[in-house]
Coordinates of all heavy atoms in Angstrom, one line a residue:
M11 N 31.8 74.7 49.1 CA 30.5 74.8 48.5 C 29.4 74.9 49.6 O 29.5 74.1 50.6 CB 30.2 73.6 47.6 CG 28.8 73.6 47.1 SD 28.4 72.1 46.1 CE 29.7 71.9 45.1
D12 N 28.4 75.7 49.4 CA 27.3 75.8 50.3 C 26.6 74.5 50.5 O 26.4 73.8 49.4 CB 26.4 76.9 49.8 CG 25.2 77.1 50.6 OD1 25.3 78.0 51.6 OD2 24.2 76.5 50.4
E13 N 26.3 74.1 51.7 CA 25.6 72.8 51.9 C 24.3 72.7 51.2 O 23.9 71.6 50.7 CB 25.5 72.5 53.4 CG 25.2 71.1 53.7 CD 26.2 70.1 53.3 OE1 27.4 70.4 53.3 OE2 25.8 69.0 52.9
K14 N 23.6 73.8 51.1 CA 22.3 73.8 50.4 C 22.4 73.5 48.9 O 21.7 72.7 48.4 CB 21.5 75.1 50.7 CG 20.1 75.1 50.0 CD 19.5 76.5 50.1 CE 18.1 76.5 49.4 NZ 17.9 75.7 48.3
I15 N 23.4 74.2 48.3 CA 23.7 73.9 46.9 C 24.0 72.5 46.7 O 23.5 71.8 45.8 CB 24.8 74.8 46.4 CG1 24.4 76.3 46.5 CG2 25.2 74.5 45.0 CD1 23.4 76.8 45.4
K16 N 24.9 71.9 47.5 CA 25.3 70.5 47.4 C 24.1 69.6 47.5 O 23.9 68.7 46.7 CB 26.3 70.2 48.5 CG 26.8 68.8 48.5 CD 27.9 68.6 49.5 CE 28.4 67.2 49.6 NZ 29.4 67.0 50.6
R17 N 23.2 69.9 48.5 CA 22.0 69.1 48.7 C 21.1 69.2 47.5 O 20.5 68.2 47.0 CB 21.3 69.5 50.0 CG 20.1 68.7 50.3 CD 19.4 69.1 51.6 NE 19.1 70.5 51.7 CZ 19.6 71.4 52.4 NH1 20.6 71.1 53.3 NH2 19.2 72.7 52.4
D18 N 20.9 70.4 46.9 CA 20.1 70.6 45.8 C 20.6 69.9 44.5 O 19.8 69.3 43.8 CB 20.0 72.1 45.5 CG 19.1 72.9 46.5 OD1 18.4 72.2 47.3 OD2 19.2 74.1 46.5
V19 N 21.9 69.9 44.3 CA 22.5 69.2 43.2 C 22.3 67.7 43.4 O 21.9 67.0 42.4 CB 24.0 69.5 43.1 CG1 24.7 68.6 42.0 CG2 24.2 71.0 42.6
L20 N 22.6 67.2 44.6 CA 22.3 65.7 44.8 C 20.9 65.4 44.7 O 20.6 64.3 44.2 CB 22.9 65.3 46.2 CG 24.4 65.3 46.3 CD1 24.8 65.1 47.7 CD2 25.0 64.4 45.3
N21 N 20.0 66.3 45.0 CA 18.5 66.0 44.8 C 18.2 65.9 43.3 O 17.4 65.1 42.9 CB 17.7 67.0 45.5 CG 17.6 66.8 47.0 OD1 17.9 65.7 47.5 ND2 17.3 67.9 47.8
I22 N 18.8 66.8 42.6 CA 18.6 66.8 41.1 C 19.1 65.5 40.5 O 18.4 64.8 39.8 CB 19.3 68.0 40.4 CG1 18.6 69.3 40.7 CG2 19.4 67.8 38.9 CD1 19.4 70.5 40.3
L23 N 20.3 65.1 40.9 CA 20.8 63.8 40.5 C 20.0 62.6 40.9 O 19.8 61.7 40.1 CB 22.3 63.6 41.0 CG 23.3 64.5 40.3 CD1 24.6 64.5 41.1 CD2 23.5 64.1 38.9
S24 N 19.5 62.7 42.1 CA 18.6 61.6 42.6 C 17.3 61.5 41.8 O 16.9 60.4 41.4 CB 18.3 61.7 44.1 OG 19.5 61.6 44.8
K25 N 16.7 62.6 41.6 CA 15.5 62.7 40.8 C 15.6 62.2 39.4 O 14.8 61.4 38.9 CB 15.0 64.2 40.8 CG 13.8 64.4 40.0 CD 13.4 65.9 40.0 CE 13.1 66.3 38.6 NZ 12.9 67.8 38.5
R26 N 16.7 62.5 38.8 CA 16.9 62.2 37.4 C 17.5 60.7 37.2 O 17.3 60.1 36.2 CB 17.9 63.1 36.7 CG 17.3 64.6 36.6 CD 16.1 64.6 35.7 NE 15.6 66.0 35.6 CZ 14.5 66.3 34.9 NH1 13.9 65.3 34.3 NH2 14.1 67.5 34.9
S27 N 18.2 60.2 38.2 CA 18.8 58.9 38.1 C 18.0 57.8 38.8 O 18.2 56.6 38.5 CB 20.2 58.9 38.6 OG 20.2 59.0 40.0
G28 N 17.2 58.2 39.8 CA 16.5 57.2 40.6 C 17.4 56.6 41.7 O 17.0 55.7 42.4
V29 N 18.6 57.2 41.9 CA 19.5 56.7 43.0 C 19.6 57.8 44.1 O 19.8 59.0 43.8 CB 20.9 56.5 42.4 CG1 21.9 56.2 43.5 CG2 20.9 55.4 41.3
D30 N 19.4 57.4 45.3 CA 19.6 58.3 46.4 C 21.1 58.4 46.8 O 21.6 57.5 47.4 CB 18.8 57.8 47.6 CG 18.8 58.8 48.8 OD1 19.7 59.7 48.8 OD2 17.9 58.7 49.6
F31 N 21.7 59.5 46.3 CA 23.2 59.6 46.5 C 23.6 59.8 48.0 O 24.7 59.6 48.3 CB 23.7 60.7 45.6 CG 23.8 60.2 44.2 CD1 22.8 60.5 43.3 CD2 24.9 59.5 43.7 CE1 22.8 60.0 42.0 CE2 24.9 59.0 42.4 CZ 23.9 59.3 41.5
Y32 N 22.6 60.3 48.8 CA 22.9 60.4 50.2 C 22.9 59.1 50.9 O 23.8 58.8 51.7 CB 21.9 61.3 50.9 CG 22.2 62.8 50.8 CD1 21.5 63.6 50.0 CD2 23.3 63.3 51.5 CE1 21.8 65.0 49.9 CE2 23.6 64.7 51.4 CZ 22.8 65.5 50.6 OH 23.2 66.8 50.5
R33 N 22.0 58.2 50.5 CA 22.0 56.9 51.1 C 23.0 55.9 50.5 O 23.4 54.9 51.1 CB 20.6 56.3 50.9 CG 19.6 57.1 51.7 CD 18.2 56.5 51.5 NE 17.9 55.6 52.6 CZ 16.9 54.8 52.6 NH1 16.1 54.7 51.6 NH2 16.7 54.1 53.7
H34 N 23.5 56.2 49.3 CA 24.4 55.4 48.6 C 25.6 56.2 48.1 O 25.9 56.3 46.9 CB 23.7 54.7 47.4 CG 22.6 53.8 47.8 ND1 22.8 52.6 48.3 CD2 21.3 54.0 47.8 CE1 21.6 52.1 48.6 NE2 20.7 52.9 48.3
P35 N 26.5 56.6 49.1 CA 27.7 57.4 48.7 C 28.7 56.6 47.8 O 29.5 57.1 47.1 CB 28.3 57.9 50.0 CG 27.7 56.9 51.0 CD 26.4 56.5 50.5
E36 N 28.5 55.3 47.8 CA 29.4 54.4 47.0 C 29.2 54.7 45.5 O 30.0 54.3 44.7 CB 29.2 52.9 47.4 CG 27.9 52.4 47.0 CD 26.8 52.5 48.0 OE1 26.9 53.3 49.0 OE2 25.8 51.8 47.9
Y37 N 28.1 55.3 45.2 CA 27.8 55.6 43.8 C 28.3 56.9 43.3 O 28.2 57.3 42.1 CB 26.3 55.5 43.5 CG 25.7 54.1 43.5 CD1 24.6 53.8 44.2 CD2 26.4 53.0 42.9 CE1 24.1 52.5 44.3 CE2 25.9 51.7 43.0 CZ 24.7 51.5 43.7 OH 24.2 50.2 43.7
W38 N 28.9 57.7 44.2 CA 29.3 59.1 43.8 C 30.3 59.0 42.7 O 30.4 60.0 42.0 CB 29.9 59.8 45.1 CG 28.9 60.3 46.0 CD1 27.7 59.8 46.3 CD2 28.9 61.5 46.7 NE1 27.0 60.6 47.2 CE2 27.7 61.7 47.5 CE3 29.9 62.6 46.8 CZ2 27.5 62.8 48.3 CZ3 29.6 63.6 47.6 CH2 28.4 63.7 48.3
Q39 N 31.1 58.0 42.6 CA 32.2 57.9 41.6 C 31.8 57.0 40.4 O 32.6 56.8 39.5 CB 33.5 57.4 42.3 CG 34.0 58.4 43.3 CD 35.3 57.9 44.0 OE1 35.6 56.8 43.9 NE2 36.0 58.8 44.6
E40 N 30.6 56.5 40.4 CA 30.2 55.7 39.3 C 29.7 56.5 38.2 O 29.0 57.5 38.4 CB 29.0 54.8 39.8 CG 29.4 53.6 40.6 CD 30.3 52.6 39.9 OE1 30.1 52.4 38.7 OE2 31.1 52.0 40.6
P41 N 30.1 56.2 36.9 CA 29.6 57.0 35.8 C 28.1 56.9 35.7 O 27.5 55.8 35.8 CB 30.3 56.3 34.6 CG 31.4 55.6 35.1 CD 31.1 55.2 36.5
L42 N 27.4 58.0 35.6 CA 26.0 58.0 35.5 C 25.4 57.2 34.3 O 24.4 56.6 34.4 CB 25.5 59.5 35.5 CG 25.8 60.3 36.8 CD1 25.6 61.8 36.5 CD2 25.0 59.8 38.0
L43 N 26.2 57.3 33.2 CA 25.7 56.6 32.0 C 26.3 55.1 32.0 O 26.0 54.4 31.0 CB 26.1 57.3 30.8 CG 25.6 58.8 30.7 CD1 26.2 59.4 29.4 CD2 24.1 58.8 30.7
G44 N 27.0 54.7 33.0 CA 27.6 53.4 33.0 C 26.7 52.3 33.3 O 25.5 52.5 33.6
P45 N 27.2 51.1 33.4 CA 26.4 49.9 33.6 C 25.7 49.7 34.9 O 24.7 49.1 35.0 CB 27.4 48.7 33.4 CG 28.8 49.3 33.6 CD 28.7 50.7 33.2
K46 N 26.3 50.3 36.0 CA 25.7 50.2 37.3 C 24.5 51.2 37.4 O 23.4 50.8 38.0 CB 26.7 50.5 38.4 CG 27.6 49.4 38.7 CD 28.4 49.6 40.0 CE 29.3 48.4 40.2 NZ 30.1 48.6 41.4
L47 N 24.6 52.4 37.0 CA 23.5 53.4 37.2 C 22.6 53.5 36.0 O 21.4 53.8 36.2 CB 24.1 54.8 37.6 CG 25.0 54.8 38.8 CD1 25.5 56.2 39.1 CD2 24.2 54.3 40.0
Q48 N 23.1 53.3 34.8 CA 22.3 53.2 33.6 C 21.4 54.4 33.4 O 20.2 54.2 33.0 CB 21.6 51.9 33.5 CG 22.5 50.7 33.5 CD 21.7 49.4 33.4 OE1 20.5 49.4 33.3 NE2 22.4 48.3 33.3
M49 N 21.8 55.6 33.7 CA 21.0 56.7 33.5 C 20.9 57.0 32.0 O 21.9 56.9 31.3 CB 21.6 58.0 34.2 CG 20.9 59.3 33.9 SD 21.7 60.7 34.4 CE 21.2 60.8 36.1
P50 N 19.7 57.2 31.5 CA 19.5 57.5 30.1 C 20.2 58.9 29.8 O 20.2 59.8 30.6 CB 18.0 57.7 29.9 CG 17.4 56.9 31.0 CD 18.3 57.0 32.2
A51 N 20.8 59.0 28.6 CA 21.6 60.2 28.3 C 20.7 61.4 28.3 O 21.2 62.5 28.7 CB 22.2 60.0 26.9
R52 N 19.5 61.3 27.9 CA 18.6 62.5 28.0 C 18.5 63.0 29.4 O 18.3 64.2 29.6 CB 17.3 62.2 27.3 CG 16.3 61.5 28.2 CD 14.9 61.3 27.6 NE 14.2 60.4 28.4 CZ 14.3 59.1 28.3 NH1 15.0 58.5 27.4 NH2 13.6 58.3 29.1
E53 N 18.5 62.1 30.4 CA 18.4 62.5 31.8 C 19.6 63.3 32.2 O 19.5 64.3 33.0 CB 18.1 61.3 32.7 CG 16.8 60.7 32.6 CD 15.6 61.6 32.9 OE1 15.7 62.4 33.8 OE2 14.6 61.5 32.2
L54 N 20.8 63.0 31.7 CA 22.0 63.7 32.0 C 21.9 65.1 31.4 O 22.3 66.1 32.1 CB 23.2 63.0 31.5 CG 24.5 63.6 31.9 CD1 24.7 63.6 33.4 CD2 25.7 62.8 31.3
L55 N 21.3 65.3 30.3 CA 21.0 66.6 29.7 C 20.1 67.4 30.6 O 20.3 68.6 30.9 CB 20.4 66.5 28.3 CG 20.1 67.8 27.6 CD1 21.3 68.7 27.4 CD2 19.5 67.5 26.2
Y56 N 19.0 66.7 31.1 CA 18.1 67.4 32.0 C 18.8 67.8 33.3 O 18.5 68.9 33.9 CB 16.9 66.5 32.4 CG 16.0 66.2 31.2 CD1 15.4 65.0 31.1 CD2 15.7 67.2 30.3 CE1 14.5 64.7 30.1 CE2 14.8 66.9 29.2 CZ 14.2 65.7 29.2 OH 13.3 65.4 28.1
V57 N 19.8 67.0 33.8 CA 20.6 67.3 35.0 C 21.3 68.7 34.7 O 21.3 69.6 35.5 CB 21.6 66.2 35.4 CG1 22.6 66.7 36.3 CG2 20.8 65.0 35.9
Y58 N 21.9 68.7 33.5 CA 22.6 70.0 33.2 C 21.7 71.2 33.2 O 22.0 72.2 33.8 CB 23.3 69.8 31.8 CG 23.9 71.0 31.3 CD1 25.3 71.3 31.6 CD2 23.3 72.0 30.5 CE1 25.9 72.5 31.2 CE2 23.9 73.1 30.1 CZ 25.2 73.4 30.4 OH 25.8 74.5 30.0
V59 N 20.5 71.0 32.6 CA 19.6 72.1 32.5 C 19.1 72.5 33.9 O 19.0 73.7 34.3 CB 18.4 71.8 31.6 CG1 17.3 72.8 31.7 CG2 18.9 71.7 30.2
D60 N 18.8 71.5 34.7 CA 18.3 71.7 36.1 C 19.4 72.5 36.9 O 19.1 73.4 37.7 CB 18.0 70.4 36.8 CG 16.7 69.7 36.3 OD1 16.0 70.4 35.5 OD2 16.6 68.5 36.6
I61 N 20.6 72.1 36.8 CA 21.7 72.7 37.5 C 21.9 74.2 37.0 O 22.2 75.1 37.8 CB 23.0 71.9 37.4 CG1 22.9 70.6 38.3 CG2 24.2 72.7 37.9 CD1 24.0 69.6 38.1
E62 N 21.8 74.3 35.7 CA 21.9 75.7 35.1 C 20.8 76.6 35.7 O 21.1 77.8 36.1 CB 21.8 75.6 33.6 CG 22.0 76.9 32.9 CD 22.0 76.8 31.4 OE1 20.9 76.7 30.9 OE2 23.0 76.7 30.8
H63 N 19.6 76.1 35.9 CA 18.5 76.9 36.5 C 18.8 77.1 37.9 O 18.5 78.2 38.4 CB 17.2 76.2 36.3 CG 16.6 76.2 34.9 ND1 16.2 77.4 34.4 CD2 16.5 75.3 34.0 CE1 15.7 77.1 33.1 NE2 15.9 75.8 32.9
L64 N 19.3 76.1 38.6 CA 19.6 76.3 40.1 C 20.7 77.4 40.3 O 20.5 78.2 41.2 CB 20.1 75.0 40.6 CG 20.7 75.0 42.0 CD1 19.5 75.2 43.0 CD2 21.4 73.7 42.3
L65 N 21.7 77.4 39.5 CA 22.8 78.3 39.7 C 22.6 79.7 39.0 O 23.3 80.6 39.4 CB 24.1 77.7 39.1 CG 24.6 76.4 39.7 CD1 25.8 75.9 39.0 CD2 24.8 76.5 41.2
G66 N 21.8 79.7 38.0 CA 21.6 80.9 37.2 C 22.7 81.2 36.2 O 22.7 82.2 35.7
K67 N 23.5 80.2 36.0 CA 24.6 80.2 35.0 C 25.0 78.8 34.6 O 24.7 77.9 35.4 CB 25.7 81.0 35.5 CG 26.3 80.7 36.8 CD 27.3 81.7 37.3 CE 27.4 81.7 38.8 NZ 28.3 82.7 39.2
P68 N 25.6 78.6 33.4 CA 25.9 77.3 33.0 C 27.2 76.7 33.6 O 28.0 77.5 34.1 CB 26.1 77.5 31.5 CG 26.5 78.9 31.3 CD 25.8 79.6 32.4
V69 N 27.2 75.4 33.6 CA 28.5 74.7 33.9 C 29.5 75.1 32.9 O 29.2 75.4 31.7 CB 28.3 73.2 33.9 CG1 29.5 72.4 34.1 CG2 27.3 72.8 35.0
L70 N 30.8 75.2 33.3 CA 31.8 75.6 32.4 C 31.9 74.7 31.2 O 31.9 73.5 31.3 CB 33.2 75.7 33.1 CG 33.3 76.6 34.3 CD1 34.6 76.5 34.9 CD2 33.0 78.1 33.8
E71 N 31.9 75.3 30.0 CA 32.0 74.5 28.8 C 33.2 73.5 28.7 O 33.1 72.4 28.3 CB 32.0 75.4 27.6 CG 31.9 74.7 26.2 CD 31.8 75.7 25.1 OE1 31.1 76.8 25.2 OE2 32.3 75.4 24.0
E72 N 34.3 74.0 29.3 CA 35.5 73.1 29.3 C 35.3 71.9 30.1 O 35.9 70.9 29.8 CB 36.7 73.9 29.7 CG 36.7 74.4 31.2 CD 37.9 75.3 31.6 OE1 38.2 76.2 30.8 OE2 38.4 75.0 32.6
D73 N 34.5 72.0 31.2 CA 34.2 70.8 32.0 C 33.5 69.8 31.2 O 33.7 68.6 31.3 CB 33.5 71.2 33.3 CG 34.3 71.9 34.3 OD1 35.6 71.9 34.2 OD2 33.8 72.4 35.3
I74 N 32.5 70.2 30.4 CA 31.7 69.3 29.6 C 32.6 68.7 28.5 O 32.6 67.5 28.3 CB 30.5 70.1 28.9 CG1 29.6 70.7 29.9 CG2 29.8 69.1 28.0 CD1 29.0 69.8 30.9
E75 N 33.4 69.5 27.9 CA 34.3 69.1 26.8 C 35.3 68.0 27.3 O 35.7 67.1 26.6 CB 35.1 70.2 26.2 CG 34.2 71.1 25.3 CD 34.9 72.4 24.9 OE1 36.0 72.7 25.3 OE2 34.3 73.2 24.1
K76 N 35.8 68.2 28.5 CA 36.8 67.3 29.1 C 36.1 66.0 29.7 O 36.8 65.2 30.2 CB 37.6 68.0 30.1 CG 38.5 69.0 29.5 CD 39.4 69.7 30.5 CE 40.3 70.8 29.9 NZ 41.1 71.5 30.8
G77 N 34.8 65.9 29.6 CA 34.1 64.8 30.1 C 33.9 64.7 31.6 O 33.7 63.6 32.2
W78 N 34.0 65.9 32.3 CA 33.9 65.9 33.7 C 32.5 66.0 34.3 O 32.3 66.2 35.5 CB 34.8 67.1 34.3 CG 36.2 66.9 34.1 CD1 36.9 65.8 33.8 CD2 37.2 67.9 34.1 NE1 38.2 66.0 33.6 CE2 38.5 67.4 33.9 CE3 37.2 69.3 34.4 CZ2 39.6 68.1 33.8 CZ3 38.3 70.0 34.4 CH2 39.6 69.4 34.1
F79 N 31.5 65.9 33.4 CA 30.1 65.9 33.8 C 29.6 64.5 33.7 O 28.6 64.2 33.1 CB 29.3 66.9 32.9 CG 28.1 67.4 33.5 CD1 28.1 68.4 34.4 CD2 26.8 66.9 33.1 CE1 26.9 68.9 35.0 CE2 25.7 67.3 33.7 CZ 25.7 68.4 34.6
D80 N 30.3 63.6 34.5 CA 30.0 62.2 34.3 C 29.6 61.4 35.5 O 29.0 60.4 35.5 CB 31.1 61.5 33.6 CG 32.4 61.5 34.4 OD1 32.5 62.4 35.3 OD2 33.3 60.7 34.1
T81 N 30.0 61.9 36.7 CA 29.7 61.2 38.0 C 29.1 62.3 38.9 O 29.3 63.5 38.7 CB 31.0 60.6 38.6 OG1 31.8 61.6 39.0 CG2 31.7 59.6 37.7
A82 N 28.5 61.8 40.0 CA 28.0 62.8 41.0 C 29.1 63.6 41.6 O 29.0 64.8 41.7 CB 27.3 62.0 42.1
E83 N 30.2 62.9 41.9 CA 31.4 63.6 42.4 C 31.9 64.7 41.5 O 32.2 65.8 41.9 CB 32.5 62.6 42.8 CG 33.7 63.2 43.5 CD 34.6 62.1 43.9 OE1 35.3 61.5 43.0 OE2 34.7 61.8 45.1
H84 N 32.1 64.3 40.2 CA 32.6 65.3 39.2 C 31.6 66.4 39.0 O 32.0 67.6 38.8 CB 32.9 64.6 37.9 CG 34.1 63.7 38.0 ND1 34.3 62.8 37.0 CD2 35.1 63.7 38.8 CE1 35.5 62.1 37.3 NE2 36.0 62.7 38.4
I85 N 30.3 66.1 39.0 CA 29.3 67.2 38.8 C 29.4 68.2 40.0 O 29.3 69.4 39.7 CB 27.9 66.6 38.6 CG1 27.9 65.9 37.2 CG2 26.8 67.7 38.7 CD1 26.6 65.1 36.9
L86 N 29.5 67.7 41.2 CA 29.7 68.6 42.3 C 30.9 69.5 42.2 O 30.9 70.7 42.5 CB 29.7 67.8 43.6 CG 28.4 67.2 44.1 CD1 28.6 66.3 45.2 CD2 27.4 68.3 44.5
A87 N 32.0 68.9 41.7 CA 33.2 69.7 41.4 C 33.0 70.7 40.3 O 33.5 71.9 40.4 CB 34.4 68.8 41.1
C88 N 32.2 70.4 39.3 CA 31.9 71.3 38.2 C 31.1 72.5 38.8 O 31.4 73.7 38.4 CB 31.1 70.6 37.1 SG 32.0 69.5 36.1
V89 N 30.1 72.2 39.6 CA 29.3 73.2 40.2 C 30.2 74.1 41.1 O 30.1 75.4 41.1 CB 28.2 72.6 41.1 CG1 27.5 73.6 42.0 CG2 27.2 71.9 40.1
E90 N 31.1 73.5 41.8 CA 32.0 74.3 42.7 C 32.8 75.3 41.9 O 33.1 76.4 42.3 CB 32.8 73.4 43.6 CG 33.6 74.1 44.7 CD 34.1 73.2 45.7 OE1 34.2 72.0 45.5 OE2 34.2 73.7 46.9
R91 N 33.3 74.9 40.7 CA 34.1 75.7 39.9 C 33.3 76.9 39.3 O 33.8 78.0 39.1 CB 34.7 74.9 38.7 CG 36.0 74.1 39.1 CD 36.7 73.5 38.0 NE 36.0 72.4 37.4 CZ 36.1 71.2 37.9 NH1 36.7 70.9 39.0 NH2 35.5 70.2 37.3
V92 N 32.0 76.7 39.1 CA 31.1 77.8 38.6 C 30.9 78.8 39.7 O 30.9 80.0 39.5 CB 29.8 77.2 38.1 CG1 28.8 78.3 37.9 CG2 29.9 76.4 36.9
L93 N 30.8 78.3 41.0 CA 30.6 79.2 42.1 C 31.8 80.0 42.4 O 31.9 81.0 42.9 CB 30.1 78.4 43.3 CG 28.7 77.7 43.1 CD1 28.4 76.8 44.3 CD2 27.6 78.7 42.8

């Protein structure tokens, strides 16, 4: 994955969650909606929309259905599959 895209996705996640994923890589595998990060569900929806605008195409529907849009690490993997 292009480093700029990765940085842009992490910036989207940081903006929407309030967590700096570059400074706190230990949170990459934490569920965004879980007890540690406590991101509101609507913010996760905004993350999806922001990423769709960034890429110019949606994240794969099967990734959403399988629950793979749940952590920073998984979201980066979802983005990579779209690219």
Side-chain angles (χ1 to χ4, degrees):
M11 171 186 317
D12 179 90
E13 194 60 37
K14 182 185 178 328
I15 296 285
K16 181 178 180 180
R17 184 177 56 248
D18 289 347
V19 170
L20 289 175
N21 285 338
I22 288 168
L23 288 168
S24 294
K25 175 181 134 187
R26 296 295 180 182
S27 70
V29 174
D30 185 338
F31 286 94
Y32 274 109
R33 296 177 96 193
H34 298 284
E36 68 272 17
Y37 290 133
W38 282 37
Q39 296 179 343
E40 285 294 325
L42 296 168
L43 302 178
K46 283 192 179 179
L47 300 181
Q48 298 182 0
M49 176 190 272
R52 77 174 173 278
E53 291 299 323
L54 189 57
L55 178 60
Y56 292 145
V57 167
Y58 177 86
V59 172
D60 291 345
I61 289 173
E62 187 176 81
H63 286 290
L64 173 69
L65 302 176
K67 50 188 155 185
V69 172
L70 300 175
E71 190 173 321
E72 67 186 44
D73 284 351
I74 303 298
E75 290 171 354
K76 292 179 180 178
W78 292 344
F79 202 79
D80 62 341
T81 68
E83 184 175 73
H84 287 161
I85 289 172
L86 286 169
C88 291
V89 167
E90 192 162 23
R91 281 190 284 282
V92 169
L93 299 174

